[in-house]
Amino acid sequence: MGGGEFKAVIMLDGDSIMPAETMVTLARTMEGNDTIGLIQSINYEIHSGTLLGKLRSYGHNLGNLLAPSARYYFRIARGVFRGHNAILRTEAMMQHCNLPVLSKYGPFPAGKPKSHDFIEAFLLEGAGYEVWELPTLVAFDDQIHNLLDAMKREARWIYGALDWLRFFRLKKLSSFGKMSLFVYSVNYFNAVTGLIFFVMSYLGLYYMVHYPLMIHMIMFRYHNIFMWSFYIFVFSMVTAVALPLIALWKKYRTSVSMVKSLYSFLLGGLINITMSPIGMILINCILWSWLKGKVLVWGSQNRTERVLSWDECVKSLWIVSVCGLVCAYFLSIYIFPYFTPRVQKLLGFSLSSFVYFICAPVVAMVFAPVTVRFTSRSFPLMEKMGWFKHQFEGENEPLVVRETRNMTGWFEKQIPEEWGFEQALSDPYFALRHLAQCPSRPQKYAFWKNKLAGRNIQDLTRLEKLVVFRCRELWEMFMTKKLNVAQEKQQ
């Protein structure tokens, strides 16, 4: 039975974890309404013990308590597709979601779009199908554990989102889809806007400390506007903190400490203030690479909890450190010498608040390799104190999550991280066990046998290695060849 003969298919990614209840609910909902083309579940991030991983999981999972419900309320039957943890109507996808192979045009790369998921959801809407994102359907993803691996994934998302600028005016898209694709595409240029405002803030500081009396008069003249703006800002910040924490407490009050959750939220906010400029500069570097037409090489992601090496951090973050040094030089020459007690009094800024909010991001940028390496580490004290503990840890941990973690730990012991394809072929324990479980594909073997017969395994492309890995006859051919080479070396 071919895949196209199934009425629906549940899409899972390499790091997807979906409870059986969610799968059953997805299938029953799809079966009960023929107008639905796609149903997306809500993805929660789990399985990270590093500081950055736990911080990201905590913030993401806390936000998912309310945000999906708000989206569902305001745009019912107008969801998105995130590429995995969703059920698709097979016939609808085959008829309406076949994407073209793009030619190179300016900075836009050639080939299939890097991110196909959002486009497919809006093509289904344009064809008259409903796309649902149901907040009650829970699924999980493995969290990325450090900033450098997160940015490698972000690079692919950026390239994919910018491809949408070539699609958002398609007639086959729904009106909501056209608007959404355009907004999601240009959203990454917020990093450019953020960098501009970051530079302008330092120029503004220069003006403030050199002309404090003028600034004092402006603040006095427009005092009411400043105060109301401040009140609105405080209200929005308090609301953003309070509502998710109240929802967390109401739903998990027996197993989640409100005090620790509030402390984790505030601590995470302080850490994000120092980390945000680093991410902003890295995203601008990715956008610059795209603008120059640089081809994105998308390899496998490292999902292990590893402490980043100093060499990797320095090579990847030197440009951030240089930007930080430029900012530090500007502060030391043009700002601090003029920030006298008289200026502090006129502006109403204390030295401590000024130093933290202005200098903390700069220090983090200068020492970006140290900062990123530090956040890639795990801290037993953090686990002991229960900081950044989200709602799916401890006694609330679902069975499928716990079993997946146990199985992952077992596999990591059996197959070391540094293993490559050659080690897998030469290790008898792994090679023979895989041979016993690998499906036999005589037709594929007949097609690939002559093409691969005279080549070494290290010379194969990634696709060819995948073909060998999934065909028993090809695997046995290369395994035997590897063993013969090993025996000849011994003789």
Side-chain angles (χ1 to χ4, degrees):
M1 187 176 185
E5 299 179 32
F6 288 94
K7 188 175 183 179
V9 58
I10 294 179
M11 295 294 297
L12 298 176
D13 210 341
D15 57 351
S16 297
I17 303 172
M18 183 176 287
E21 298 88 345
T22 300
M23 291 188 178
V24 172
T25 305
L26 283 171
R28 296 172 89 177
T29 308
M30 178 70 78
E31 185 68 26
N33 190 340
D34 291 336
T35 63
I36 297 178
L38 186 150
I39 307 174
Q40 175 69 60
S41 64
I42 305 303
N43 303 334
Y44 292 89
E45 304 285 355
I46 55 169
H47 287 168
S48 183
T50 66
L51 175 58
L52 184 75
K54 290 189 73 67
L55 173 62
R56 289 167 64 97
S57 294
Y58 177 79
H60 179 87
N61 295 346
L62 190 65
N64 264 352
L65 285 170
L66 292 179
S69 298
R71 292 196 298 267
Y72 177 78
Y73 179 83
F74 286 104
R75 58 185 202 197
I76 187 169
R78 282 187 168 181
V80 296
F81 178 34
R82 306 192 186 280
H84 57 281
N85 293 356
I87 189 169
L88 321 173
R89 190 173 298 278
T90 311
E91 184 180 358
M93 290 289 293
M94 294 175 64
Q95 286 185 0
H96 305 289
C97 299
N98 187 25
L99 300 179
V101 177
L102 302 171
S103 58
K104 180 170 177 55
Y105 181 76
F108 297 100
K112 286 281 189 178
K114 295 288 189 300
S115 295
H116 56 87
D117 38 17
F118 278 36
I119 306 173
E120 291 167 345
F122 300 137
L123 283 172
L124 287 175
E125 285 186 2
Y129 288 94
E130 296 178 354
V131 176
W132 292 80
E133 185 179 14
L134 298 181
T136 55
L137 296 177
V138 175
F140 304 95
D141 284 336
D142 276 337
Q143 179 60 272
I144 290 183
H145 311 291
N146 62 76
L147 186 63
L148 296 187
D149 287 333
M151 280 298 154
K152 291 176 184 176
R153 181 179 67 176
E154 199 73 34
R156 179 180 180 271
W157 288 353
I158 291 174
Y159 271 66
L162 294 175
D163 274 342
W164 300 340
L165 292 173
R166 305 179 71 175
F167 285 90
F168 79 96
R169 296 183 63 188
L170 280 177
K171 294 182 179 180
K172 294 182 179 180
L173 295 173
S174 64
S175 299
F176 174 74
K178 294 177 181 179
M179 177 191 67
S180 298
L181 280 184
F182 179 76
V183 170
Y184 287 133
S185 296
V186 300
N187 180 58
Y188 278 106
F189 290 98
N190 287 337
V192 180
T193 308
L195 184 60
I196 294 172
F197 275 96
F198 188 78
V199 174
M200 290 178 63
S201 67
Y202 280 86
L203 298 177
L205 278 175
Y206 175 86
Y207 187 85
M208 290 172 66
V209 297
H210 283 78
Y211 304 97
L213 186 59
M214 179 66 72
I215 298 297
H216 179 78
M217 294 173 62
I218 293 173
M219 293 175 66
F220 181 79
R221 175 68 177 81
Y222 299 101
H223 177 74
N224 291 334
I225 295 177
F226 282 119
M227 291 308 298
W228 275 107
S229 301
F230 176 74
Y231 293 149
I232 293 172
F233 172 76
V234 171
F235 174 78
S236 61
M237 292 297 293
V238 171
T239 304
V241 175
L243 291 180
L245 289 178
I246 292 172
L248 181 70
W249 180 77
K250 288 185 66 176
K251 193 169 184 179
Y252 302 97
R253 67 180 68 186
T254 60
S255 57
V256 175
S257 169
M258 193 68 170
V259 175
K260 289 184 178 179
S261 296
L262 179 59
Y263 178 77
S264 298
F265 194 95
L266 296 176
L267 180 60
L270 294 177
I271 296 174
N272 280 326
I273 288 176
T274 61
M275 295 290 291
S276 295
I278 300 176
M280 176 185 66
I281 293 174
L282 292 177
I283 289 178
N284 274 281
C285 291
I286 297 171
L287 289 171
W288 179 245
S289 297
W290 171 81
L291 192 61
K292 292 191 300 181
K294 184 177 179 181
V295 178
L296 176 68
V297 179
W298 174 247
S300 59
Q301 289 180 260
N302 194 322
R303 293 281 182 170
T304 58
E305 292 185 16
R306 62 193 180 101
V307 178
L308 294 170
S309 66
W310 286 112
D311 183 63
E312 186 178 6
C313 290
V314 172
K315 286 183 178 179
S316 302
L317 300 164
W318 66 269
I319 190 171
V320 182
S321 297
V322 170
C323 293
L325 289 171
V326 172
C327 293
Y329 174 80
F330 184 85
L331 286 173
S332 63
I333 300 299
Y334 299 104
I335 304 296
F336 277 113
Y338 301 92
F339 195 64
T340 61
R342 175 177 172 273
V343 173
Q344 296 177 35
K345 186 176 180 180
L346 282 172
L347 296 179
F349 292 152
S350 66
L351 182 61
S352 58
S353 62
F354 183 84
V355 168
Y356 177 76
F357 287 104
I358 301 302
C359 295
V362 176
V363 172
M365 289 165 62
V366 172
F367 297 98
V370 180
T371 305
V372 172
R373 188 174 190 273
F374 177 80
T375 57
S376 71
R377 298 177 62 89
S378 300
F379 298 93
L381 177 63
M382 183 172 59
E383 295 285 346
K384 183 179 179 181
M385 298 300 294
W387 298 340
F388 304 121
K389 180 180 179 182
H390 57 76
Q391 62 268 36
F392 297 106
E393 291 183 293
E395 61 185 54
N396 290 326
E397 184 177 43
L399 176 63
V400 65
V401 173
R402 183 168 60 252
E403 291 299 318
T404 301
R405 186 181 65 254
N406 294 337
M407 291 175 63
T408 301
W410 183 84
F411 279 118
E412 288 178 351
K413 291 180 180 178
Q414 302 299 319
I415 307 175
E417 178 188 347
E418 63 275 7
W419 263 28
F421 212 86
E422 294 184 59
Q423 288 82 2
L425 278 169
S426 59
D427 183 81
Y429 178 79
F430 179 87
L432 292 173
R433 287 171 65 91
H434 181 70
L435 180 65
Q437 299 176 5
C438 190
S440 175
R441 290 184 165 91
Q443 293 182 347
K444 183 169 288 189
Y445 173 69
F447 178 82
W448 286 96
K449 178 183 177 182
N450 295 330
K451 294 185 178 182
L452 303 179
R455 299 173 61 185
N456 296 321
I457 193 68
Q458 62 268 22
D459 299 327
L460 302 184
T461 65
R462 187 181 177 191
L463 175 61
E464 291 169 341
K465 289 180 180 179
L466 182 62
V467 171
V468 172
F469 193 78
R470 297 293 305 275
C471 176
R472 182 191 302 170
E473 291 82 3
L474 290 174
W475 178 266
E476 184 177 10
M477 182 179 76
F478 277 95
M479 183 183 71
T480 305
K481 183 177 180 180
K482 189 72 176 177
L483 292 175
N484 292 336
V485 172
Q487 291 177 358
E488 289 177 1
K489 288 183 179 179
Q490 291 179 356
Q491 293 176 357

